[in-house]
Amino acid sequence: MVLTGAEIVIRCLQEEKVEYVFGYPGGAVLYIYDALFNQDKVRHILVRHEQAAVHAADGFARSTEQVGVALVTSGPGATNAVTGIATAYCDSIPLVIISGQVPTAAIGQDAFQEVDTVGITRPCVKHNFLVKDVRDIASTIKKAFYLAKSGRPGPVLVDIPKDVSMHKCEFEYPKEISMRSYNPVVKGHQGQIRKAVQLLLEAKRPMIYTGGGVVLANAAEQLTKLTRLLGFPITNTLMGLGGYPASDRQYLGMPGMHGTYEANMAMHYSDVLLAVGARFDDRVIGNPAHFAEEPRKIIHVDIDPSSISKRVKVDVPIVGDLKEVLEEMIRQLEAGAARPNPEVVGAWWKQVDEWRSRDCMKYKNSSEIIKPQFVIQKLWEVTGGDAIVTSDVGQHQMWASQYYRFDKPRRWLNSGGLGTMGVGLPYAMGAQLAHPDRQVACVTGEASIQMNIQELSTCKQFRLPIKICNLNNRYLGMVRQWQQLFHGERYSESYMDSLPDFAKLAEAYGHVGLKIERPSDVEGALREAFARKNDLVFLDFQIDQTENVYPMVQGGKGLTEMILSAEDL
Amino acid sequence: MRHVISLLIENESGALSRVSGLFSARGYNIESLTVAPTEDASMSRMTIVTTGSDDIIEQITKQLNKLVEVVKVVDISEAAHIERELMLVKVRATGKDREEMKRMSEIFRARIIDVTEASYVVELTGNQSKLDAFINAIDPALILETVRSGVCGVGRGDRILKL
């Protein structure tokens, strides 16, 4: 069948069973938009800014097991998308971004709306392509989807010049794709796995540390089974929340800069650390030199060999798909009679429970002023702990990760790697479209939400009943916290002056807006919001301006040097 | 430590900038980089001379392997290998310097490949130190220009980098 390049693009998306494309039209993609118009399988979601298109596709991907797709035009369309692409790259999210490009004859001529999109995005994509011939579109898109979701997932960009989308050729979608230069390892090395299991069985102070890889590999079930089989304490990073049930006794909470006392102490003083799909980020282990002070054996399971021994030296590296490797570990454990010595592990648990008894997450509630932690706790109660919670970046993000207990994966969507303000609302849009019957809450702050607030308009158009919980402290809270603690209380430009009335703003977009000023109104407002099943409700919580995120490990310090509360200062 | 990393990469536009971009983005050092297609026109071979600790070299090879277009990576300096570099030197050659320059070329097994009344172009191949030695051996005032290719290298004997 002879089709135009644009029609081929749409047919490829149909072949990949893409339900939603998030995008914004423009000159260079007009043929593709024309091809979209003539079909009804792929639904287009018109955002109000290309950054939000990519974030929404990203939120869709994070909340499902599918590849998110965004479509943007050349020049400013593509540059607006870059923040979204970089965000997905840092968190290894499978995306395909299709960008328009000026006609091939105009490339390099400084044409209207021309940028070197492939050049600009090269450092922040898993791979990218410039398609110069209409006959290459189908195979390139097939490759893009394959690359995006296989191995360590990531965003892949396909740049298509306008004339290429207009030219015609015979369409055939390739069934298989093979690339001689790209063969991700799936099966973990048997001998290494045996070595790892042996180390785990002999451990005196074992600890399991897992990250976003567990969620991406859909390995939460295997992780839970292995952890229970071993009986060891476990921690999930910010990206890994929900990888293991947070309400389980073996779970110690999140590690790192704003992790729990018990998780950080157990990480630091463990003698065998099993790292699964986690990359020893600076926000997790602090200073690697401090982390290396305590001798311990590290087993590191990761799909990406370059993540192993990057920041800390690893004793047993295992490259492979986490699900397969964990299954093999379980199989070996179940096949052998050996189990960890209950007495030895019991003694370690005694120590861990002692650390846990510090109750580092306690905070002083108030009947006068709304505490942010209280809002999140109530959000958790009202949603029964099963909502999809997106967050922006800042103090509210940390409170959401600390006080909402995630028992299942793909319930917590946030920008962990790049730390992008403005992701919360578009993530919620992607998640709500993917799960129309689920509760979706966006926890944000007055500064973050304003970075993509125009998307309230998209939410109106597509009737997305998201509940936005704005923890409004009239400050760039995390910046203010650092200025208070490390910059002599000089609050340089962290104050948000001239804020809009968010409730009225939401109403102006045709949504429901609520302003909540008293602690006694928090729960009622949340219940009312979630009872409004068809409405987007913007809850503007006026919270305590001075509240800080604790516990805290200062940047560059070791995990044991924690500030547990304001009294520690 | 100095390392010589050889890699096979798909012969596609943009592949070189992916490699050089990787080095600049991650703060790795490139001492020299040479690249040309192989006997299989769909593939290019690159030789990168770089320096770094063992940990850094390990990261460099891992990160290179991660690039989708990179087919194979080896650190050929891990074992016996041969390195060659090409240098062209244009020198002033008048009066007694003319004979002297010819003699020096013979000693270094270089070839004079262009002759004018006032100058020679001398072609020299060898490892870096041999080329450096030639430059140091001749009168610096006579050097009009030099151009060097960067290192290309191959493992000795059975060590073969091929698909």
Side-chain angles (χ1 to χ4, degrees):
Chain A
M1 190 184 347
V2 174
L3 299 175
T4 66
E7 288 164 340
I8 290 172
V9 170
I10 302 304
R11 284 294 301 272
C12 293
L13 297 181
Q14 291 173 354
E15 292 281 342
E16 291 290 337
K17 308 224 168 7
V18 172
E19 283 175 86
Y20 291 105
V21 173
F22 300 86
Y24 205 101
V29 281
L30 280 181
Y31 290 108
I32 299 177
Y33 272 85
D34 202 42
L36 258 174
F37 190 78
N38 287 323
Q39 55 86 51
D40 54 8
K41 283 191 187 133
V42 179
R43 216 176 142 205
H44 182 269
I45 304 298
L46 176 68
V47 295
R48 303 301 186 258
H49 189 290
E50 287 89 351
Q51 184 188 345
V54 183
H55 287 328
D58 179 338
F60 183 91
R62 284 177 203 244
S63 69
T64 60
E65 294 170 19
Q66 296 167 43
V67 178
V69 182
L71 172 59
V72 298
T73 193
S74 66
T79 54
N80 278 348
V82 170
T83 302
I85 296 170
T87 303
Y89 181 66
C90 286
D91 291 339
S92 309
I93 305 302
L95 291 187
V96 170
I97 300 101
I98 294 168
S99 55
Q101 184 53 277
V102 299
T104 39
I107 290 178
Q109 310 285 314
D110 301 327
F112 176 66
Q113 292 196 330
E114 180 191 359
V115 292
D116 173 12
T117 303
V118 166
I120 286 178
T121 56
R122 194 172 287 134
C124 60
V125 290
K126 183 171 174 185
H127 196 61
N128 58 17
F129 300 92
L130 171 64
V131 185
K132 287 187 182 147
D133 189 324
V134 66
R135 287 165 297 185
D136 295 335
I137 290 182
S139 62
T140 305
I141 293 182
K142 178 86 187 176
K143 276 184 199 166
F145 274 88
Y146 170 60
L147 285 170
K149 63 190 170 194
S150 61
R152 178 176 181 169
V156 180
L157 178 133
V158 182
D159 201 27
I160 305 177
K162 186 168 185 177
D163 56 324
V164 174
S165 69
M166 182 188 72
H167 294 153
K168 290 182 172 176
C169 79
E170 183 70 28
F171 171 68
E172 194 189 349
Y173 200 59
K175 287 203 166 43
E176 293 275 318
I177 215 84
S178 81
M179 299 164 77
R180 63 177 170 183
S181 54
Y182 178 77
N183 299 294
V185 177
V186 175
K187 259 187 124 45
H189 189 276
Q190 285 284 324
Q192 292 292 89
I193 295 176
R194 208 167 305 123
K195 232 157 106 185
V197 169
Q198 203 50 41
L199 256 182
L200 289 169
L201 289 174
E202 290 162 5
K204 292 189 178 69
R205 300 185 305 281
M207 178 68 176
I208 302 174
Y209 149 59
T210 79
V214 170
V215 179
L216 290 168
N218 300 310
E221 197 186 308
Q222 287 75 8
L223 175 70
T224 305
K225 192 168 177 194
L226 179 73
T227 305
R228 295 218 167 116
L229 212 55
L230 290 166
F232 296 167
I234 180 169
T235 177
N236 295 153
T237 67
L238 183 73
M239 290 307 299
L241 294 179
Y244 188 84
S247 47
D248 189 83
R249 204 196 86 81
Q250 280 169 257
Y251 183 64
L252 301 191
M254 195 166 68
M257 183 171 272
H258 295 298
T260 66
Y261 181 66
E262 53 269 35
N264 281 348
M265 295 298 273
M267 286 277 287
H268 192 81
Y269 291 109
S270 62
D271 71 337
V272 174
L273 184 67
L274 172 62
V276 186
R279 59 193 177 92
F280 296 87
D281 186 76
D282 56 282
R283 286 297 190 264
V284 171
I285 63 157
N287 188 333
H290 288 276
F291 192 67
E293 279 164 7
E294 211 53 37
R296 69 177 81 69
K297 295 272 183 209
I298 298 177
I299 303 159
H300 192 174
V301 190
D302 207 293
I303 187 92
D304 178 4
S306 76
S307 277
I308 297 176
S309 287
K310 184 171 66 179
R311 301 198 74 237
V312 299
K313 218 187 128 327
V314 168
D315 301 278
V316 185
I318 303 172
V319 177
D321 177 68
L322 302 188
K323 202 177 195 167
E324 297 230 1
V325 173
L326 293 178
E327 266 169 10
E328 177 58 22
M329 282 185 169
I330 293 167
R331 201 192 60 74
Q332 288 193 14
L333 267 172
E334 285 181 335
R339 288 289 174 275
N341 184 329
E343 260 173 57
V344 171
V345 179
W348 171 233
W349 266 112
K350 220 177 128 207
Q351 169 70 73
V352 170
D353 283 333
E354 206 179 301
W355 287 325
R356 180 138 69 178
S357 67
R358 293 279 292 260
D359 193 12
C360 66
M361 300 304 278
K362 65 174 180 279
Y363 65 94
K364 276 204 197 90
N365 207 355
S366 161
S367 56
E368 304 292 318
I369 192 157
I370 299 175
K371 292 287 181 178
Q373 302 93 328
F374 176 69
V375 177
I376 304 295
Q377 276 185 333
K378 286 293 158 195
L379 176 67
W380 178 70
E381 283 172 30
V382 168
T383 57
D386 198 38
I388 297 173
V389 179
T390 76
S391 88
D392 266 299
V393 170
Q395 287 183 316
H396 63 271
Q397 174 192 27
M398 291 302 128
W399 287 316
S401 65
Q402 289 173 327
Y403 293 92
Y404 195 99
R405 295 219 290 269
F406 295 93
D407 281 343
K408 288 179 188 154
R410 299 194 188 273
R411 303 292 195 277
W412 165 243
L413 322 180
N414 88 120
S415 167
L418 196 66
T420 311
M421 288 171 75
V423 296
L425 181 53
Y427 275 3
M429 288 162 28
Q432 188 77 77
L433 281 161
H435 307 277
D437 301 326
R438 297 272 303 276
Q439 297 174 327
V440 177
C442 165
V443 177
T444 184
E446 80 289 340
S448 278
I449 189 69
Q450 289 191 88
M451 285 218 179
N452 266 322
I453 200 156
Q454 76 285 347
E455 296 308 316
L456 284 173
S457 177
T458 308
C459 294
K460 180 67 189 166
Q461 183 178 350
F462 296 95
R463 296 193 171 83
L464 303 175
I466 297 159
K467 313 306 172 210
I468 299 172
C469 302
N470 188 34
L471 301 183
N472 187 345
N473 60 5
R474 286 83 76 205
Y475 265 115
L476 308 183
M478 195 57 98
V479 172
R480 198 223 67 221
Q481 176 167 343
W482 283 52
Q483 287 173 335
Q484 181 192 336
L485 302 180
F486 316 123
H487 295 275
E489 301 184 26
R490 291 179 295 279
Y491 299 119
S492 177
E493 304 297 330
S494 57
Y495 180 63
M496 283 302 242
D497 205 355
S498 311
L499 285 170
D501 180 328
F502 286 104
K504 278 192 183 151
L505 182 73
E507 281 167 17
Y509 276 107
H511 302 301
V512 179
L514 299 172
K515 186 173 181 177
I516 302 102
E517 291 170 291
R518 284 195 306 271
S520 53
D521 294 337
V522 169
E523 185 170 346
L526 282 166
R527 289 204 184 280
E528 184 190 338
F530 282 98
R532 288 176 171 270
K533 292 218 176 318
N534 300 319
D535 296 319
L536 183 149
V537 182
F538 196 116
L539 299 131
D540 188 22
F541 294 100
Q542 307 294 305
I543 64 158
D544 186 349
Q545 283 195 284
T546 61
E547 193 65 40
N548 283 342
V549 181
Y550 295 111
M552 181 177 191
V553 179
Q554 192 184 333
K557 292 257 167 104
L559 281 183
T560 55
E561 301 168 87
M562 294 186 77
I563 306 167
L564 289 189
S565 68
E567 283 87 67
D568 276 5
L569 292 174
Chain B
M1 262 283 277
R2 179 176 176 275
H3 287 256
V4 183
I5 293 168
S6 278
L7 54 109
L8 293 172
I9 186 164
E10 299 285 351
N11 189 5
E12 282 167 10
S13 72
L16 174 61
S17 71
R18 264 185 236 282
V19 172
S20 59
L22 170 75
F23 275 76
S24 61
R26 293 190 180 265
Y28 305 141
N29 177 47
I30 295 186
E31 201 178 297
S32 81
L33 189 159
T34 56
V35 55
T38 61
E39 75 284 359
D40 172 355
S42 72
M43 223 157 28
S44 293
R45 176 155 171 164
M46 262 182 212
T47 311
I48 302 171
V49 179
T50 183
T51 50
S53 64
D54 289 353
D55 292 347
I56 289 173
I57 300 298
E58 185 183 332
Q59 265 301 309
I60 289 176
T61 51
K62 281 175 169 176
Q63 294 291 348
L64 284 170
N65 263 313
K66 215 163 109 175
L67 293 178
V68 167
E69 284 146 337
V70 170
V71 186
K72 244 180 183 178
V73 181
V74 290
D75 180 351
I76 61 166
S77 52
E78 273 180 341
H81 69 285
I82 299 157
E83 285 178 37
R84 284 293 179 273
E85 200 177 315
L86 169 73
M87 177 167 70
L88 300 176
V89 193
K90 191 180 284 178
V91 290
R92 187 170 288 125
T94 50
K96 64 174 175 43
D97 293 334
R98 232 173 147 77
E99 251 330 287
E100 172 65 11
M101 196 54 71
K102 225 178 130 212
R103 237 185 347 261
M104 287 302 284
S105 299
E106 274 164 23
I107 293 170
F108 278 87
R109 270 172 254 156
R111 294 199 296 157
I112 296 169
I113 54 172
D114 185 54
V115 178
T116 68
E117 275 176 24
S119 71
Y120 287 155
V121 172
V122 181
E123 176 200 290
L124 194 60
T125 53
N127 59 22
Q128 278 182 325
S129 61
K130 178 185 166 187
L131 270 50
D132 291 342
F134 180 76
I135 292 287
N136 291 331
I138 60 176
D139 180 357
L142 298 180
I143 299 174
L144 297 171
E145 60 178 297
T146 62
V147 53
R148 292 168 73 148
S149 66
V151 170
C152 85
V154 69
R156 280 191 187 274
D158 293 340
R159 301 177 69 233
I160 289 161
L161 175 60
K162 204 177 174 171
L163 250 202

